[in-house]
Amino acid sequence: MRTQVAIVGAGPAGLLLAHLLAAEGVESVVVESRSEEYVAGRIRAGILEQSTVDLLRYAGLGDRLDREGDRHRGIHLQWPGERHHLDFVDLVGRAVHVYGQTEVQKDLVAARRAAGQQVVYEVGDTALHDLKTDHPSVTFTQDGEEQRITADVVVGCDGSFGPSRSALPSPSTWARTYPYSWLGVLADVAPSTDELIYAWHPDGFALHSMRSATVSRLYLQVPNGTAPEEWSDDRIWAALRDRLGHGQDGWAMTDGPITEKSVLPMRSFVQSPMRHGRLFLAGDAAHIVPPTGAKGLNLAVADVALLAPALVDLLRKDDTRLADAYSDTALRRVWRCTHFSWWMTTMLHTGGDPFDEQLQLSQLRWVTSSEAGATGLAENYAGLPIGF
């Protein structure tokens, strides 16, 4: 096969990039190691920044988001005996939307299919070649036969375990593994809150999120190495009621059937540069953040928003300026969001140190009582401009 851009990875980053390139007349082929059903069913992020929503609308992908997404003005911050609402719209003039990554994926797959554009699923042995030349290529096997895509550019949107990240020679990397994980559950029950509740508790962090008017997404801080089966449904609901303040000021936590349990390790990772020759990285292939700040999917979208016009200029105008600046420009935002995610994580997760706990409570009191503190959180959570 011959194309202009070979994209490795058919998650939101890869499909959104293909969609934006197609709108500017740039051809692409997307390859993916998993099945279409597997990729579509992955339960991941559920919070979209304002800039992500704006880009999806601009790209013609906002119709179902506007119909079915839930616009939230802010979040609740809580610790035992206190709950405070931060109104992002009042503070910084921007909101967030609850709209799951699975729904974004469905919209992107439908758009790709409607345009008759190619996605090759269930490939194996993917490898990248000749990245320092003007004609890099991607090889893979499908149905036992080796295939090759020759392109002008290769983009790695294949996450932290794909071949693209390792194709960069001698990158600089920074990593942190946090000493706790999240036990995440999906429950067939209407949310017990109008907006997300981030709760500090001596027993560990808890988060009440949602996926729809009838499905709740909930998280509990648990030790690393925890297996989901260690937590029965009754134990989960008891911990959630305790940590989220059931009965506090008349608030009630409603439980229901739990349909999914999983444990998510917490880590930060950044790799630099995000470009090597004609290979560009986007999303989790270049950086990972803990989910506390709701940045993972939004960072991937921000990468793609920078990369799409850079590739259009490179391939249609032979103008290399945006492509040459891509890595440095993207990494500025990556590090800002990495810091914010670390800050939210360390402010809200307990580790058993009484001194640290008092510092965390002091910080929470400051954020919820100071307009400057609340504005800083709101500015970062609701999303910085794409070019930041």
Side-chain angles (χ1 to χ4, degrees):
M1 287 179 278
R2 177 74 176 87
T3 191
Q4 290 176 284
V5 181
I7 300 173
V8 184
L15 292 186
L16 179 58
L17 177 62
H19 183 81
L20 295 174
L21 291 174
E24 298 294 333
V26 175
E27 296 178 346
S28 65
V29 174
V30 183
V31 298
E32 168 60 51
S33 63
R34 302 284 193 168
S35 69
E36 180 178 343
E37 294 74 22
Y38 178 90
V39 178
R42 285 184 294 199
I43 303 297
R44 297 283 182 84
I47 303 297
L48 304 184
E49 297 177 357
Q50 186 64 59
S51 57
T52 297
V53 172
D54 292 343
L55 179 63
L56 293 174
R57 288 171 175 162
Y58 168 80
L61 299 165
D63 289 350
R64 199 163 68 90
L65 165 62
D66 288 334
R67 290 196 311 271
E68 301 178 17
D70 190 6
R71 181 178 183 268
H72 283 194
R73 293 180 61 97
I75 61 171
H76 300 281
L77 282 180
Q78 176 180 304
W79 58 97
E82 296 196 39
R83 180 181 294 171
H84 300 267
H85 183 250
L86 302 186
D87 191 305
F88 298 162
V89 177
D90 287 347
L91 290 164
V92 296
R94 299 194 298 278
V96 296
H97 286 67
V98 175
Y99 191 69
Q101 178 173 316
T102 51
E103 305 309 311
V104 175
Q105 184 74 15
K106 290 175 186 176
D107 296 339
L108 288 165
V109 168
R112 187 81 176 166
R113 185 173 290 122
Q117 297 165 340
Q118 190 169 9
V119 181
V120 185
Y121 289 99
E122 298 184 79
V123 306
D125 304 315
T126 304
L128 284 57
H129 310 275
D130 304 319
L131 300 173
K132 293 289 285 184
T133 74
D134 290 341
H135 298 290
S137 62
V138 177
T139 58
F140 57 91
T141 57
Q142 186 181 40
D143 299 326
E145 295 186 5
E146 183 173 285
Q147 308 285 338
R148 180 180 293 269
I149 302 173
T150 303
D152 299 311
V153 167
V154 175
V155 179
C157 301
D158 47 344
S160 55
F161 300 108
S164 300
R165 175 189 288 183
S166 59
L168 271 75
S170 304
S172 297
T173 61
W174 299 264
R176 172 160 296 178
T177 299
Y178 296 86
Y180 32 70
S181 300
W182 276 10
L183 172 65
V185 303
L186 275 177
D188 284 340
V189 60
S192 300
T193 178
D194 57 338
E195 295 181 337
L196 277 70
I197 303 172
Y198 284 79
W200 182 98
H201 191 275
D203 293 341
F205 168 76
L207 171 61
H208 192 323
S209 184
M210 62 282 292
R211 284 295 177 267
S212 70
T214 59
V215 177
S216 295
R217 183 70 164 154
L218 305 128
Y219 300 93
L220 289 166
Q221 177 186 337
V222 295
N224 287 342
T226 296
E229 55 269 20
E230 295 176 23
W231 285 74
S232 68
D233 291 8
D234 288 344
R235 183 185 179 190
I236 289 170
W237 287 118
L240 286 167
R241 285 192 294 270
D242 189 30
R243 298 187 196 184
L244 289 167
H246 177 77
Q248 180 177 311
D249 297 327
W251 181 78
M253 177 91 201
T254 304
D255 60 23
I258 291 176
T259 59
E260 180 186 292
K261 302 177 189 177
S262 59
V263 172
L264 174 67
M266 307 282 282
R267 62 192 181 106
S268 297
F269 176 89
V270 180
Q271 177 168 307
S272 175
M274 292 173 60
R275 178 189 181 182
H276 171 64
R278 286 296 181 103
L279 169 65
F280 297 81
L281 301 182
D284 287 0
H287 43 75
I288 301 288
V289 292
T292 324
K295 292 292 158 227
L297 173 60
N298 293 294
L299 261 182
V301 170
D303 289 347
V304 168
L306 291 173
L307 186 54
L311 296 183
V312 170
D313 282 1
L314 177 66
L315 298 175
R316 297 195 65 190
K317 305 175 185 177
D318 198 27
D319 184 342
T320 67
R321 288 175 294 177
L322 291 180
D324 292 341
Y326 167 70
S327 181
D328 288 342
T329 304
L331 282 167
R332 283 199 299 271
R333 186 188 184 94
V334 167
W335 277 113
R336 173 85 298 277
C337 292
T338 297
H339 177 268
F340 176 68
S341 299
W342 165 86
W343 179 75
M344 287 282 287
T345 300
T346 55
M347 179 173 65
L348 288 161
H349 291 74
T350 53
D353 185 312
F355 184 83
D356 287 345
E357 290 181 359
Q358 291 305 312
L359 292 179
Q360 291 172 320
L361 290 170
S362 176
Q363 192 164 217
L364 284 164
R365 294 186 188 102
W366 171 69
V367 168
T368 54
S369 62
S370 161
E371 184 175 350
T375 299
L377 189 153
E379 180 181 50
N380 283 274
Y381 195 105
L384 300 162
I386 288 293
F388 176 84

